[in-house]
Amino acid sequence: MSQWTATVGAAHLARLLEPRPQSSRGAGASAGHGRKLPAYRGLADGIRLLVLEGRVQVAARLPAERELALALGVSRTTVAAAYEALRAEGFARSRRGAGSWTAIPDGHVLPSRSLEPLPPDAAGSVIDLGCASLPAPEPWLTRAMEGALADLPAYAATHGDFPAGLPVLREAIADRYTARGVPTMPEQIMVTTGAMGAIAAAARRLVGFGERVAVESPSYANVLELFRETGSRLVPVTLREGLGGWDMDAWRRVLRDAAPRMAYVMPDFHNPTGGLIGEDQRRDLVEAARAAGTVVVADETMAELVLDGEESGVRPMAAFDRGGTVMTVGSASKAVWAGLRIGWVRTTPDVVRRLVSARAYLDIGSPVVDQLAVAWLLRGGGWDLALAARRERARECRDDLVAALREHTPDWDFAVPRGGMTMWVHTGDVSGSRLAVAGERLGVRVPSGPRFGVDGAFEPYIRLPFTVSGAAAVEAAARLAQAAHVVRSGGAADGETTGLFVA
């Protein structure tokens, strides 16, 4: 890479490097055991972590030494030494007259802000806790595909384009909502390519460039990045500690003062915290959003993954909507299998028509065979049987992971959720970003807290999914404990300074 293609300002970089109050002990100011890092080394490490996490993009021109020194309140010599260390490690390059820009050492893959699964061939050497997905519940996936192929000839005789989704699937999804206490017509359903396709369609159609979107803080990392890519201005609203739910006073202030065009929330076993929002808070948020003219996108992809008991005990957000305020997003990816790229939107028929008309220049429609498979599951009872298998597996993984963490990392703090696929873990005096880098080198892959926040919040956190059990859960916890020891001691796990973190 010969030169920079973007810039990062001194003030912005200083904010990203600034330790949060909750992470002041673990943000890298100390190498552990009382040994303080040289100032230039701490600065170089901070920039390197930002690049590895994707929070500062590759090929971004770094601020001039004098400008960054002024923004950070350090000497120009400190900044110059940090830049030199980055160049020596391959994380920066320079050219006379062009300044310095961020880079990745030769032979490394570019970092991503998204949470991408590891290739299957890497599973033997790395425990992947970066992706909250489980293998398919068999034999239900195979039976669904066989049923879909049996139904396919009738659809193969058509053009195959169904922008709103197959009528048989729209009807089955509507019936599912009706059974959950929210009467729904097929005309209120649009089938999408996964839940992300549903959220992307809503964002592109309903939110203009530069308009505000209120989001929980923390929130699902991939959705945050989607909103950034579409030009939305994110307004974070902090969740209460543990599984305490929404801070309704904060939500009312944001809705009143910022007047966001949209609010994205995950009320059912929230990703990453696992929290479940009660009915009173759901009702209050819908009423406040309606008064502010804000559309609430309620992501219910985890809603049916109840791990303790049979039901969550709360009604869907749409049950509190008088019409037009709540747009519900659902998906087969968590309840059944992520490989079934079928999601949906439930909203008013008028909004469905608007979303369908905009789809012609996006993805046109979702795969017919996958739609038939999901329809087969919903109409024949296979959905509930597959869901029961998924719940049993996720519950086993959750319980084994919790036990392993309590044994190997007793100083870490977390609340055990009643459902969903993820748990939000406070790593004490250890930086989540540094833990993720060290863990990658030790064969365990985790996403750090800042990926789930706006502007780098949640440094002393990691997200752990319920995807491993038994010996694998014990080994994952042991490797995380070893990575924490590496971070505390200021050492490197087999060359940490060049390790790649992709989550």
Side-chain angles (χ1 to χ4, degrees):
M1 195 170 293
S2 60
Q3 61 185 16
W4 55 272
T5 57
T7 62
V8 55
H12 180 62
L13 183 57
R15 284 195 300 272
L16 292 176
L17 289 165
E18 181 180 278
R20 267 39 184 191
Q22 69 265 39
S23 61
S24 58
R25 293 180 298 168
S30 170
H33 304 298
R35 295 185 293 109
K36 189 174 182 180
L37 285 173
Y40 85 89
R41 184 69 264 173
L43 175 55
D45 285 353
I47 295 174
R48 176 174 59 84
L49 283 169
L50 291 173
V51 173
L52 285 171
E53 285 219 309
R55 288 190 278 153
V56 169
Q57 70 184 72
V58 177
R61 186 180 187 274
L62 291 164
E65 295 171 1
R66 190 185 303 277
E67 293 175 358
L68 186 57
L70 182 62
L72 292 173
V74 300
S75 71
R76 183 176 177 181
T77 302
T78 296
V79 176
Y83 282 7
E84 179 58 35
L86 290 169
R87 285 191 289 269
E89 296 163 3
F91 286 93
R93 296 178 186 172
S94 302
R95 192 180 65 188
R96 186 177 296 277
S100 299
W101 58 91
T102 57
I104 286 291
D106 292 337
H108 286 68
V109 181
L110 293 178
S112 170
R113 291 184 67 102
S114 63
L115 304 181
E116 300 170 354
L118 278 178
D121 58 7
S125 59
V126 178
I127 300 175
D128 186 7
L129 298 180
C131 189
S133 297
L134 286 166
E138 291 288 25
W140 307 112
L141 177 66
T142 297
R143 292 182 182 178
M145 285 299 177
E146 291 171 348
L149 291 176
D151 293 337
L152 182 60
Y155 294 90
T158 73
H159 49 65
D161 288 336
F162 298 88
L166 297 183
V168 65
L169 180 55
R170 297 174 73 193
E171 181 178 354
I173 294 170
D175 289 346
R176 188 82 180 179
Y177 277 110
T178 299
R180 293 176 62 200
V182 185
T184 303
M185 303 180 297
E187 292 79 8
Q188 292 179 260
I189 302 296
M190 182 179 85
V191 179
T192 62
T193 306
M196 288 295 291
I199 298 165
R204 290 189 174 95
R205 185 63 179 173
L206 302 180
V207 183
F209 187 88
E211 289 189 314
R212 296 181 178 90
V213 175
V215 295
E216 296 157 315
S217 183
S219 186
Y220 180 39
N222 288 346
V223 169
L224 293 180
E225 188 60 16
L226 183 153
F227 285 133
R228 293 186 185 103
E229 290 293 326
T230 56
S232 301
R233 297 169 59 190
L234 296 177
V235 182
V237 187
T238 303
L239 288 168
R240 294 190 183 277
E241 289 293 323
L243 303 178
W246 294 328
D247 182 338
M248 285 310 305
D249 289 338
W251 269 106
R252 292 187 186 95
R253 285 195 300 271
V254 166
L255 292 171
R256 181 186 66 242
D257 299 340
R261 181 71 184 90
M262 178 185 290
Y264 170 77
V265 296
M266 203 169 188
D268 298 275
F269 307 121
H270 174 264
N271 185 354
T273 68
L276 176 67
I277 302 301
E279 288 198 358
D280 288 345
Q281 289 187 333
R282 295 178 188 227
R283 181 184 295 104
D284 290 348
L285 181 60
V286 172
E287 291 179 357
R290 180 169 51 83
T294 299
V295 175
V296 177
V297 174
D299 186 340
E300 293 185 353
T301 55
M302 300 279 192
E304 295 193 271
L305 282 174
V306 183
L307 305 186
D308 295 333
E310 292 299 319
E311 302 296 335
S312 68
V314 293
R315 288 177 289 172
M317 289 280 288
F320 308 101
D321 185 15
R322 301 181 187 178
T325 297
V326 176
M327 179 183 295
T328 304
V329 170
S331 170
S333 66
K334 301 302 181 186
V336 183
W337 185 48
L340 279 176
R341 301 307 305 149
I342 298 299
W344 53 84
V345 172
R346 181 202 179 275
T347 182
T348 64
D350 177 61
V351 173
V352 166
R353 287 191 291 270
R354 291 164 57 194
L355 294 174
V356 169
S357 67
R359 198 172 189 182
Y361 51 85
L362 293 175
D363 64 354
I364 300 178
S366 301
V368 170
V369 174
D370 284 20
Q371 291 188 69
L372 289 173
V374 175
W376 184 92
L377 288 167
L378 286 169
R379 297 174 71 198
W383 181 279
D384 289 327
L385 293 169
L387 179 61
R390 169 65 77 239
R391 287 172 171 172
E392 182 178 358
R393 177 64 177 145
R395 185 185 303 114
E396 176 188 3
C397 291
R398 181 198 63 180
D399 294 347
D400 287 357
L401 185 61
V402 166
L405 288 172
R406 285 174 174 164
E407 177 183 355
H408 290 278
T409 57
D411 56 327
W412 290 6
D413 185 42
F414 53 86
V416 181
R418 291 179 47 208
M421 287 287 294
T422 61
M423 186 165 63
W424 191 232
V425 179
H426 190 282
T427 53
D429 63 348
V430 176
S431 158
S433 298
R434 293 178 181 274
L435 180 72
V437 174
E440 183 88 10
R441 304 300 299 174
L442 291 166
V444 60
R445 183 170 174 265
V446 295
S448 63
R451 290 179 175 269
F452 302 88
V454 178
D455 288 335
F458 306 110
E459 184 59 54
Y461 287 87
I462 58 173
R463 186 199 71 173
L464 295 180
F466 310 143
T467 55
V468 292
S469 62
V474 174
E475 181 62 23
R479 293 183 188 182
L480 287 171
Q482 184 181 357
H485 174 73
V486 167
V487 174
R488 287 193 182 100
S489 66
D494 187 23
E496 181 201 25
T497 56
T498 59
L500 175 63
F501 170 51
V502 181

